[in-house]
Amino acid sequence: MTEHLVLDRSAPEADGSEDSAKRRQIVEGARQIFLARGFDAASMSDIAKAAGVSKGTLYVYFKDKEELFSAIVMAECAVQAEGIFNLDPADPDVEAALMRLGTAYTNFLCRPEKASALRTVIAIADRMPEIGRRFYETGPSHGIRKLAEYLKAKTDAGVLKVDDPEVAAAQFMETCQGTLFKPVLFNFAPPPSAERIAHAIGIAVRVFMAAYLAR
């Protein structure tokens, strides 16, 4: 957890220039600090140190911590669920397609850095609601929309019988992550094993097909 967003309109132009490389260097250093310490505990001095630049250089690219944090979130958005939801409506095996999707989606979510990113965004969403909105829009909402399009195509083809593809897509995604990602998110458990993921996703797919397979 997609559409690419402009990260920072005030920063120097990209296109592989030295300025772009420096900006990426700053963003990566800041990402490490924000994900490790959260927004409030992160300081521009710590970010400059992690990025290997001076504070003066930092302020050339970003006017304040809020703008820099926004860039980090948008960078995370740009790679959320990249390629995972590229479903082919022509694929005749819906069960196998959902199994692949659920497994890839869960593996993606359960990376430690993804849980850290989500915790950081949730913690700041009240103070910076636009960031929360964009993160959701380019992450979970994007995945639901792509899966819903696939389910509608399969319903139109007579393979599935789904009255509300958006709700069905959200149900499937929630079922996939409920016992797998949520414990990781709250630091209740480590990332699940491949066997545990296969077991849980298999159940999710069987439940989904029992509810929505056309008869």
Side-chain angles (χ1 to χ4, degrees):
M1 312 243 320
T2 57
E3 283 69 29
H4 289 241
L5 301 172
V6 176
L7 303 191
D8 174 36
R9 295 178 177 82
S10 70
E13 292 295 323
D15 303 323
S17 66
E18 184 178 345
D19 277 345
S20 177
K22 183 66 68 176
R23 185 178 187 278
R24 289 194 297 269
Q25 179 181 336
I26 292 170
V27 168
E28 176 56 26
R31 187 185 71 82
Q32 295 173 18
I33 296 297
F34 279 127
L35 296 187
R37 304 182 186 180
F39 179 81
D40 291 325
S43 71
M44 292 295 264
S45 295
D46 291 335
I47 290 168
K49 184 176 180 180
V53 301
S54 68
K55 283 185 69 176
T57 299
L58 198 60
Y59 283 111
V60 167
Y61 289 82
F62 300 96
K63 67 181 182 181
D64 54 30
K65 190 167 72 167
E66 285 76 10
E67 184 173 84
L68 183 49
F69 182 70
S70 179
I72 304 306
V73 172
M74 294 307 103
E76 289 291 319
C77 289
V79 297
Q80 284 194 76
E82 202 171 63
I84 292 174
F85 290 91
N86 292 340
L87 296 159
D88 182 6
D91 185 346
D93 194 338
V94 177
E95 189 169 351
L98 291 177
M99 190 71 193
R100 288 193 299 269
L101 168 63
T103 301
Y105 177 59
T106 302
N107 279 320
F108 173 83
L109 283 179
C110 289
R111 298 175 188 170
E113 67 272 17
K114 298 306 174 187
S116 295
L118 184 54
R119 292 186 203 106
T120 304
V121 171
I122 291 172
I124 203 67
D126 277 343
R127 193 182 318 172
M128 302 170 71
E130 178 64 14
I131 286 180
R133 185 189 69 80
R134 288 187 183 183
F135 190 89
Y136 186 83
E137 186 177 62
T138 58
S141 182
H142 172 81
I144 291 170
R145 184 172 66 253
K146 295 289 288 184
L147 178 53
E149 290 170 359
Y150 173 80
L151 298 180
K152 183 179 185 307
K154 286 303 183 183
T155 296
D156 292 343
V159 178
L160 299 177
K161 187 176 181 180
V162 180
D163 295 330
D164 190 325
E166 183 179 3
V167 170
Q171 286 174 336
F172 179 73
M173 290 170 64
E174 286 297 319
T175 304
C176 288
Q177 62 177 290
T179 62
L180 299 172
F181 173 61
K182 293 293 176 66
V184 176
L185 177 64
F186 291 100
N187 275 319
F188 178 77
S193 66
E195 292 76 17
R196 176 63 184 168
I197 291 174
H199 174 72
I201 301 303
I203 293 173
V205 171
R206 289 195 297 274
V207 168
F208 185 91
M209 296 301 290
Y212 293 114
L213 184 64
R215 291 173 174 81

